């Protein structure tokens, strides 16, 4: 029996022992009454006297090494919690190490859109969506914006490069285009909100970005009036900001509403001072707009509004700079 091979095998097996059961099997196999070292001792007795001495010495050394390894493995296995290796349940979900790994959350703008959707659903508004790439008809013409109106200025909009003479396409500058897309397909009564991205080459500052989100609202029914518009926005503001939130309507102008107003909310700044921030525009749908989509303005009236979603989220969470929404700094995003 080759003692070097025996020792190598035993040492390899010792390295893979974890549980007390494995250690005991090892003991029986190598050190037991019928184990490999007993067999080696039996072999020793059969050797010629001239070989016995050397073989006996090497056998003793090997056995001592294995015996020591066995004692260590036995102590280590006893120190392990019993469940560890033998009862390892591979179907258990892993344990999350939150210092290394954090699951993501919805972006605060996304969360705000969800909240807005829920609040307006309570008033019977269904959520719809429209395309971000728009044609002139839906972004301007059907909204009663005349051909030479400054709102169409290429410096105020992102137009696509098109071959000469091709109809213009643009990244929509307002979600009001969705009003037209809905009224083309649906007859009153209509009550929809349309959240989404809009694009304008505005100079970026604490309250302006070149891409931002608007929430369009449209209600077209018989007998709808400015009172319904004000009630709807007041109710929404109280639910979104709290019952005591100061809001105000200011007279304004939009080609697609008459009369028109701006809806403002009082913003308390980090230093405690306050200022009015414009949340959006609103008004009664202009009869010309209803006519463009074949809805009789003598039978139906409607109100519409378009709110800046970043401004809503800023006021609600006390954020004083719109740019943080788009910088993707995880220290900011993890707070939501
Ligand atoms: C409009 O876009 C109209 N379509 C709103 C409307 C809809 C009026 C329906 C009547 C009926 P305005 O350009 O004012 O309006 O934009 C609406 C809101 O979007 C603003 O009050 C503001 O809250 C937000 N907003 C406008 N420009 C920016 C910008 N560059 N960055 C962030 N928010 C903006």
């Amino acid at each position: 029996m080759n003692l070097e091979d025996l020792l190598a095998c035993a040492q390899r097996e010792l390295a893979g022992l974890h549980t007390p059961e494995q250690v005991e099997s090892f003991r029986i196999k190598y050190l037991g009454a019928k184990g490999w070292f007993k067999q080696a001792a039996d072999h020793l007795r059969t050797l010629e006297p001239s070989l016995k001495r050397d073989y006996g010495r090497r056998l003793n050394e090997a056995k001592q090494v294995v015996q020591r390894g066995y004692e260590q493995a036995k102590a280590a296995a006893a120190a392990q919690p019993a469940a560890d290796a033998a009862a390892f349940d591979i179907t258990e979900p892993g344990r999350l190490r939150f210092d290394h790994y954090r699951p993501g959350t919805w972006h605060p703008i996304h969360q705000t859109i969800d909240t807005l959707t829920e609040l307006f659903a309570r008033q019977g508004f269904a959520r719809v969506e429209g395309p971000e790439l728009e044609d002139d008809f839906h972004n301007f013409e059907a909204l009663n914006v005349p051909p030479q109106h400054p709102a169409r200025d290429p410096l105020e909009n992102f137009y696509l490069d098109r071959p000469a003479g091709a109809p213009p396409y643009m990244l929509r500058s307002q979600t009001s285009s969705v009003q037209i897309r809905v009224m083309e397909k649906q007859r009153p009564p209509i009550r929809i909100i349309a959240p989404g991205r809009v694009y304008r080459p505005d100079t970026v500052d604490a309250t302006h970005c070149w891409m931002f989100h608007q929430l369009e609202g449209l209600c077209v029914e018989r007998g709808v009036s400015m009172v319904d518009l004000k009630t709807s926005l007041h109710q929404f503001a109280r639910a979104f900001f709290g019952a005591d939130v100061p809001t105000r309507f200011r007279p304004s102008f939009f080609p697609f509403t008459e009369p028109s107003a701006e809806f403002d909310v009082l913003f308390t700044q980090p230093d405690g001072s306050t200022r009015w921030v414009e949340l959006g525009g609103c008004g009664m749908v202009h009869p010309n707009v209803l006519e463009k989509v074949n809805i009789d303005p003598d039978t139906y009236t409607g109100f519409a509004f378009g709110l800046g979603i970043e401004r809503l989220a800023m006021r609600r969470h006390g954020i004083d700079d719109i740019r943080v929404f788009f910088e993707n700094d995880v220290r900011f995003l993890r707070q939501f």
Side-chain angles (χ1 to χ4, degrees):
M1 181 179 285
N2 185 322
L3 290 174
E4 281 70 36
D5 286 352
L6 178 59
L7 182 60
C9 279
Q11 285 182 316
R12 207 175 313 128
E13 284 189 34
L14 274 170
L17 301 182
H18 300 292
T19 65
E21 292 76 18
Q22 290 170 335
V23 175
E24 178 59 9
S25 302
F26 175 89
R27 188 193 63 78
I28 295 166
K29 181 173 172 186
Y30 286 92
L31 304 167
K34 293 180 186 163
W36 282 110
F37 280 97
K38 173 68 172 61
Q39 290 180 45
D42 292 346
H43 176 64
L44 172 68
R45 276 195 291 279
T46 66
L47 292 178
E48 290 184 19
S50 60
L51 299 174
K52 256 189 186 158
R53 204 179 137 84
D54 177 57
Y55 191 88
R57 184 183 51 77
R58 289 192 294 117
L59 175 60
N60 258 340
E61 282 172 8
K63 193 174 173 186
Q64 277 173 21
V65 169
V66 172
Q67 183 74 36
R68 271 202 302 277
Y70 158 74
E71 309 282 357
Q72 283 169 4
K74 190 175 168 189
Q80 291 268 344
D84 244 23
F88 186 75
D89 180 358
I90 58 161
T91 63
E92 274 261 311
R95 272 179 233 146
L96 287 182
R97 292 279 309 276
F98 277 96
D99 46 341
H100 290 172
Y101 165 79
R102 283 175 196 240
T105 53
W106 286 108
H107 191 277
I109 294 300
H110 233 100
Q111 294 187 28
T112 305
I113 291 175
D114 278 353
T115 307
L116 296 171
T117 304
E118 196 199 312
L119 292 182
F120 278 104
R122 291 186 202 166
Q123 296 186 32
F125 287 83
R127 175 173 166 174
V128 299
E129 264 166 44
E132 290 179 25
L133 191 60
E134 266 301 4
D135 53 29
D136 182 85
F137 179 78
H138 292 90
N139 200 85
F140 292 130
E141 187 187 329
L143 287 164
N144 201 33
V145 181
Q148 300 312 321
H149 195 279
R152 293 171 187 260
D153 191 326
L155 293 175
E156 302 289 332
N157 296 284
F158 287 112
Y159 284 102
L160 266 68
D161 274 343
R162 302 271 288 159
Y169 268 103
M170 61 187 300
L171 295 174
R172 68 181 175 193
S173 62
Q174 49 183 349
T175 46
S176 298
S177 53
V178 188
Q179 289 186 32
I180 304 303
R181 294 206 169 263
V182 168
M183 290 191 288
E184 280 173 333
K185 289 205 203 91
Q186 198 183 320
R187 298 293 87 187
I190 295 172
R191 236 172 224 239
I192 58 97
I193 52 159
R197 293 192 187 97
V198 300
Y199 302 84
R200 293 178 195 177
D202 287 351
T203 305
V204 174
D205 63 21
T207 50
H208 292 84
C209 270
W210 50 266
M211 185 284 291
F212 57 100
H213 295 73
Q214 286 187 336
L215 183 85
E216 195 74 14
L218 174 70
C219 168
V220 184
E221 288 168 26
R222 284 174 200 266
V224 167
S225 75
M226 193 79 184
V227 174
D228 299 302
L229 167 62
K230 292 185 76 170
T231 307
S232 190
L233 285 180
H234 268 310
Q235 261 183 18
F236 153 70
R238 293 232 297 269
F240 189 75
F241 296 119
D244 53 355
V245 64
T247 54
R248 71 177 184 193
F249 286 83
R250 270 182 299 124
S252 186
F253 173 81
F254 295 99
F256 35 93
T257 46
E258 179 58 35
S260 304
E262 304 276 7
F263 184 55
D264 301 340
V265 65
L266 196 65
F267 216 115
T268 305
Q269 318 216 73
D271 65 5
S273 62
T274 55
R275 71 187 162 107
W276 288 99
V277 171
E278 175 196 311
L279 288 182
C282 59
M284 299 305 295
V285 179
H286 198 291
N288 290 355
V289 174
L290 295 176
E291 272 169 4
K292 274 274 188 215
V293 289
N294 296 319
I295 292 177
D296 180 5
D298 293 329
T299 311
Y300 295 104
T301 49
F303 68 77
F305 55 84
L307 308 176
I309 293 178
E310 281 77 8
R311 304 258 178 106
L312 290 167
M314 287 166 75
R315 171 63 171 76
R316 185 158 145 132
H317 297 295
I319 296 166
D320 60 354
D321 195 322
I322 195 171
R323 287 167 283 204
V324 293
F325 286 121
F326 307 113
E327 283 167 355
N328 288 328
D329 183 334
V330 290
R331 290 168 301 181
F332 168 72
L333 296 174
R334 274 183 188 154
Q335 298 175 52
F336 296 91

